[in-house]
Every structure is written in structure tokens, then in C-alpha cells.
Amino acid sequence: MSRVLVLNSGSSSVKYRLFDGAQTLAKGLIERIGESGGEVPDHRAALQGIMDEIDLAGLAAVGHRVVHGGADFTAPTVIDDQVVARVEALVPLAPLHNPAALTGIEVARKLLPEVPQVAVFDTAFHATIPPEGVVWAIDKSLAEQWQIRRYGFHGTSHAYVSRRTAEVLGRDPAGTNVITLHLGNGASACAVQGGRSVATSMGMSPLPGLVMGTRSGDIDPTVIFHLHRVAGLPLDEIEDSLTRHAGLLGLTGANDLRTVLERRAAGDADATLAFDVYCRRIREYVGAYLAVLGRVDAITFTAGVGENSPAVRAASLSGLEPLGIAVDPARNERREEIISPPGTRIPVCVIPTDEELEIADQSREALSLPR
Ligand code: AMP
């Protein structure tokens, strides 16, 4: 009785995975929902298709990934009408992300009214960041009125990977400090102190911080005023440019790092610069989080780029030997769990993330179900 269905509903896709304990019984992705050429007309049909496909016997919970939990949700939360209303109230904070999760929740509750449902928030892990790490130095009354502060994202991944790092090193997570680098299509860094997030690079939205596939990461906010006032671009267009046409895509025309690496190998100047900007930003955050944590027990790479690109891992930590940080070329190529040379002060790790497994575990925890 510990089967959990994990649903990750996007605006035009639903990803699902059915767990029995830590074992995956079924998984899949339904894409282009409501688009011409897509398989299904809407989220209801997509979820109905998933339910028809999988064996629902013994299903103890449905775990929903919800991107933004605001300041309100600091832990996985069993869903009822009130929780739905609170997540709805957060839509203005996450207009690009939360509506899809709400649709998924609404449809899943209708289709599986007997099964408890849990919302697992990307932001929740960062609720432990101290005030000085989430407050920006802007007019206090504006910030309070409009809920402006850092929230942080990728929380399930940073939580999972930092804990796994401690396990790999044979340490107690509660006494281990880790800098986690989640480098996927979206990317963020996190400083984890004894299992608790104390700093992260994303902010009110998943836009700031590291350079991403299509998102800019950190820029001077003046760029927005300038593009609006001087270039005459409407705000929606600027938002679209910074979130969907920036990052690696903006610098090279390709959002996939594999393409950027191929072009760089062929001597392409744009691709070379994009790679350097990408890796330098990672190094800047590593430096910042070394200073935030003071003592660091490991630096861990994860997600699509972090798990698969030896070039990014090597370049983003190059030149840090005086700080006790190094990457062993052979271990890095082989993608060992520990890629630093023996005896370096701060181990560097590569740990595959598993956000769905973490969501399943947190859903069980919220319902006090056995694993
Ligand atoms: P994710 O969002 O974690 O699925 O990561 C997706 C991204 O990982 C892709 O957009 C690629 O840029 C990157 N990626 C996947 N495989 C590789 C690889 N072998 N080398 C470099 N980058 C990769």
C-alpha cells in the first residue's frame, strides 16, 4: 500500500511516474496537450489516458509537483479545497508555472476522489534560508505589499542531491555542508548547511542566477527599463525575451548545451563565449557559497548538464586548487561519483538527481505512509 503516482503538469505536458517504494512501475510523458498534432485535447484527457494505462490498485497517494509555494508553503502539503485556493492565490507570483499544476490537481482530484493528494513545492526546501538571504534591499513597504523576495526553486532536487552526496561520502547529512549545482535546461545553485538550504541562486521566479538554456540568469534590472523605454519593447515581449530567448539560446541560437559544445569544438566564437559565460557564472556562485558556508564538505553537480558534461564540470571549477578544489580529468570523463583527485580538501561529486522519487518520498512523509 505504498504506491505513489507522481504528476508533473506543465502548460502543455504531463510527466508521470508510478512508484512502489523506490521502484518505478510505470512512467511516461504526454506532450503537446491541446496543440495541433498532439495526442490529447486537454489535461483531463491526458490524465484520463494515464489512469487507463497504469494499474491503480493499491495507490496510496498522488504527489503533485508545484513550482511556487510562496512564503505560505514550507513543506509538502496534503491537498484540500483550502490548499487549492491558497495555490490559486499564488498564481500572480508564478503566472508561467502554477496554473498548469492547478489544472493537474483539479483533474486528478476529480478522477481519483478517494486517493489523498499532496502538493510538493519547488520552493519549500528554501524556506530555511535566513532573512538576509531572501530580502532584497528595495523599499520595504513595496516588497511586503507585493510579496517581493527570493523564494528559490529546484528544491526537491537540491534536497535529494545534497542528502545523496552525504551518503556517498559516508557522512551524516545533518553535519554536512554541500554546494549543489543543478544544471539542466533550468539551472540553479544552492548552499546546503546540514541538510538545510541557506542560499540559492534563483529568486522570486526561476529567472535569475545561473545562465540557462533559454533564461538569462542574473542581469542588471536596468536592462528591462532600457529595453522598454529606449528600445520601445512592451513588457510582455521583454519577459518573453529574457525567459525564452536568452541564456545559451540568446548567445548562440541553440539552447541545448550539446549543440553549443559541438560548435565550440568546431571553433565557433559565439559558442566559445557562451560556454565561458556559462561556466564563469557557476564559478562565481561557487565562490559566493564558499563564503556563505565557511566550511564546505562537497560540491555536487547534477541534472542534464551537470551529470553529462565533463567539459562544464572541469571549466567551472578550474583554477580553484588554492581553495582545495580540483577535478581529476580521468574520473571526470568516467563520471565517477567522486571526480576530485584523492586527498583534495573539498570532494567534487556527480550525483544523478531524481526529483520524482523525492516527490514520492515527500508525499508519503506528508501522509505518514511507510516508504
Ligand atoms: P534537464 O533539464 O536536467 O533534463 O537537462 C537538459 C539539458 O541537459 C539539455 O538541454 C542539454 O543541454 C543538457 N545535456 C544533456 N545531455 C548532455 C550531454 N551529454 N552533454 C552536455 N549537455 C547535455
Side-chain angles (χ1 to χ4, degrees), residues 224 227-229 231-241:
I224 297 164
L227 285 174
H228 185 57
R229 204 182 292 128
L233 295 185
L235 282 172
D236 285 349
E237 222 168 283
I238 299 171
E239 181 173 28
D240 192 55
S241 178

Side-chain angles (χ1 to χ4, degrees), residues 203-283:
M204 185 171 159
S205 78
L207 184 55
L210 304 178
V211 176
M212 312 184 208
T214 66
R215 288 178 228 147
S216 61
D218 290 336
I219 55 166
D220 177 345
T222 303
V223 171
I224 297 164
F225 315 140
H226 188 80
L227 285 174
H228 185 57
R229 204 182 292 128
V230 181
L233 295 185
L235 282 172
D236 285 349
E237 222 168 283
I238 299 171
E239 181 173 28
D240 192 55
S241 178
L242 295 179
T243 53
R244 297 183 47 229
H245 302 279
L248 295 175
L249 180 69
L251 291 175
T252 69
N255 70 298
D256 193 312
L257 185 84
R258 282 166 290 201
T259 312
V260 176
L261 290 171
E262 281 163 23
R263 293 190 191 161
R264 173 172 169 263
D268 182 275
D270 285 345
T272 303
L273 178 61
F275 178 84
D276 292 345
V277 172
Y278 186 94
C279 294
R280 173 174 167 130
R281 184 72 50 80
I282 295 169
R283 188 156 62 239

Side-chain angles (χ1 to χ4, degrees), residues 157-168:
S157 180
H158 291 297
Y160 176 81
V161 162
S162 57
R163 197 174 62 240
R164 284 282 306 132
T165 299
E167 286 167 10
V168 162

Side-chain angles (χ1 to χ4, degrees), residues 70-71 89-90 92-93 142-149 151 204:
L90 291 169
L93 271 180
L142 274 181
E144 278 169 5
Q145 188 180 355
W146 299 105
Q147 298 161 279
I148 294 169
R149 46 161 276 194
Y151 295 95
M204 185 171 159

